[in-house]
Amino acid sequence: MCQLLGMNCNTPTDATFSFTGFTQRGGRTADHVDGWGVAFFEGAGLRHFVDHLPAAESPVAELIRKYPIKSCNVIAHIRKATQGAVNLQNCHPFVRELWGRYWVFAHNGNLENYAPRLHANFHPVGTTDSERAFCWLMQELAKSHASVPSVEELTITLRELVPQISRHGTFNFLLSNGEALWAHASTHLFYLERGFPFASAELADEDLTVDFAAQTSPADRVTVVVTAPLTKNETWTAFQPHELIAFVDGRAIRA
């Protein structure tokens, strides 16, 4: 299976620390070697990077580990292929436009016999079950709402749509439109909320420790969502099976 990493904050924050540990799982501490990608929202814009090389060896990933891009919503993915060849068009995260804004999606899992009917506006470029699922979600969101809905309305609609996909197999995913980060767990997904008072964190996959108290203000809030905990000295919360959570401004919004 693949690995997911998401970050949601109340102020633009760089994901260098988390991304550094995460990419080690792309060929060093785990065997997810079939490509990787990351997307950073910046206002109405988006920085989107993908590479078919293993994340631990990719020169593009090395650039991002050294380049502190600041964002309030980040989605990253390292791939272990189940469906689709190892190439750029099958690397997550995938990007589409809806209601005049970017949407970013990454999936961990395998959907068997999944061939949804897709209409004119959303079609996959690659051959993964993941991109087909993303296209169908975008199609159905567009059908359900005439204009940009609120985060609460989108969460309600997603809770109605997601079971129609997850019945085909494992459907752990991250989704963002730059306003919120939605995360769904079929099996394994964890999150961690960092806030005042901040402390030091030690990566599990790399010999690196960061003192967040020295880099943050008391008003900052950051939530990290990941397939498996990234740090050794922090308490991560496991998602319940089939749980969908929206994260806004660094906090989980369940209701």
Side-chain angles (χ1 to χ4, degrees), residues 3-5 18-26 76-78 226 230:
Q3 295 253 326
L4 300 170
L5 167 66
S18 295
F19 187 76
T20 296
F22 183 68
T23 53
Q24 301 312 302
R25 299 175 180 180
H77 180 275
I78 50 177
V226 72
L230 284 172

Side-chain angles (χ1 to χ4, degrees), residues 7-14 70-72 192-199 211-223 248-251:
M7 187 177 75
N8 171 265
C9 319
N10 68 338
T11 189
T13 304
D14 75 76
K70 292 192 174 183
S71 173
C72 287
L192 170 73
E193 294 185 13
R194 293 191 182 111
F196 184 82
F198 290 91
D211 180 8
F212 287 109
Q215 302 182 3
T216 56
S217 75
D220 291 344
R221 292 192 307 274
V222 178
T223 291
V248 179
D249 292 333
R251 286 179 174 160

Side-chain angles (χ1 to χ4, degrees), residues 70-154:
K70 292 192 174 183
S71 173
C72 287
N73 286 283
V74 179
I75 291 179
H77 180 275
I78 50 177
R79 186 173 183 233
K80 186 173 183 179
T82 53
Q83 297 185 36
V86 178
N87 52 36
L88 283 180
Q89 59 264 40
N90 286 333
C91 289
H92 312 216
F94 302 107
V95 180
R96 292 294 188 276
E97 178 275 330
L98 178 60
W99 299 309
R101 62 175 59 181
Y102 290 112
W103 290 74
V104 175
F105 173 89
H107 167 226
N108 162 29
N110 188 38
L111 303 173
E112 298 286 352
N113 303 312
Y114 183 67
R117 179 175 295 180
L118 298 174
H119 305 310
N121 291 334
F122 301 100
H123 286 282
V125 176
T127 55
T128 64
D129 53 330
S130 307
E131 192 178 14
R132 289 195 296 273
F134 180 36
C135 289
W136 185 82
L137 279 176
M138 291 293 94
Q139 171 183 286
E140 297 305 306
L141 286 175
K143 287 164 58 177
S144 300
H145 302 279
S147 59
V148 184
S150 67
V151 171
E152 291 77 12
E153 290 171 322
L154 282 166

Side-chain angles (χ1 to χ4, degrees), residues 10 30 66 101 110 112 166-167 171 175-176 183 191 197 201 203 206 215 230 252:
N10 68 338
K66 295 179 178 179
R101 62 175 59 181
N110 188 38
E112 298 286 352
S166 60
R167 69 187 181 207
F171 194 45
L175 174 71
S176 182
Y191 73 93
L203 286 175
E206 178 83 340
Q215 302 182 3
L230 284 172

